[in-house]
Amino acid sequence: MAAQSGQDFDWDGLKAAAEEAVTHAYAPYSHFSVGAAALVDDGRVVTGCNVENAAYGVALCAECGLVSQLHITGGGRLTHFVCVNGDREVIMPCGRCRQLLFENGGRDLLLWTVSGIKTMDEVLPDAFGPDDLA
């Protein structure tokens, strides 16, 4: 998948990667599986799934696993992102995960959301990030 924006991007291919990731989710407590996939600016696709824990507060979101894979495999910037639930429906990342995605993709990161393709700036307006610490 080459980095592209908007409608000419293969969103269905990226969603398929998220759908594969959701099959590896570990969600015995909430029974709410999540899979996530993103394109990196160098063409790699990174994925993640949620991993719950009996101590509920230490569960890992799918986006956490995705960002970990991003850094383990060479870093870079996320350009396109989607996450799905166990029924393979597109879902919105929570506020915490939006901040995590903003940190690794910036304002121009494109997300497939429940209301269409949006920039990170649209789903997390006025975000605080690394540029604010410079």
Side-chain angles (χ1 to χ4, degrees):
M1 285 185 224
Q4 301 170 26
S5 62
Q7 298 174 350
D8 56 340
F9 177 72
D10 180 15
W11 285 104
D12 290 331
L14 193 61
K15 184 175 182 262
E19 291 170 347
E20 167 59 23
V22 78
T23 68
H24 301 285
Y26 177 71
Y29 308 105
S30 72
H31 306 288
F32 190 78
S33 297
V34 178
L39 183 69
V40 183
D41 58 3
D42 65 4
R44 283 177 293 134
V45 173
V46 291
T47 59
C49 64
N50 61 323
V51 178
E52 295 181 346
N53 188 292
Y56 295 144
V58 295
L60 298 174
C61 297
E63 296 87 343
C64 293
L66 181 147
V67 168
S68 234
Q69 189 180 79
L70 168 70
H71 289 279
I72 287 169
T73 61
R77 297 294 282 173
L78 303 175
T79 62
H80 298 73
F81 171 87
V82 64
C83 60
V84 300
N85 63 21
D87 293 328
R88 308 330 191 243
E89 300 165 327
V90 172
I91 58 174
M92 276 304 274
C94 70
R96 174 186 177 272
C97 290
R98 291 179 200 189
Q99 181 63 38
L100 185 66
L101 293 169
F102 179 86
E103 181 84 12
N104 292 277
R107 300 181 194 292
D108 296 328
L109 170 62
L110 294 173
L111 294 85
W112 183 353
T113 75
V114 296
S115 57
I117 307 302
K118 307 274 184 187
T119 64
M120 180 52 67
D121 200 38
E122 292 174 289
V123 300
L124 192 63
D126 302 320
F128 177 86
D131 293 341
D132 297 302
L133 299 176

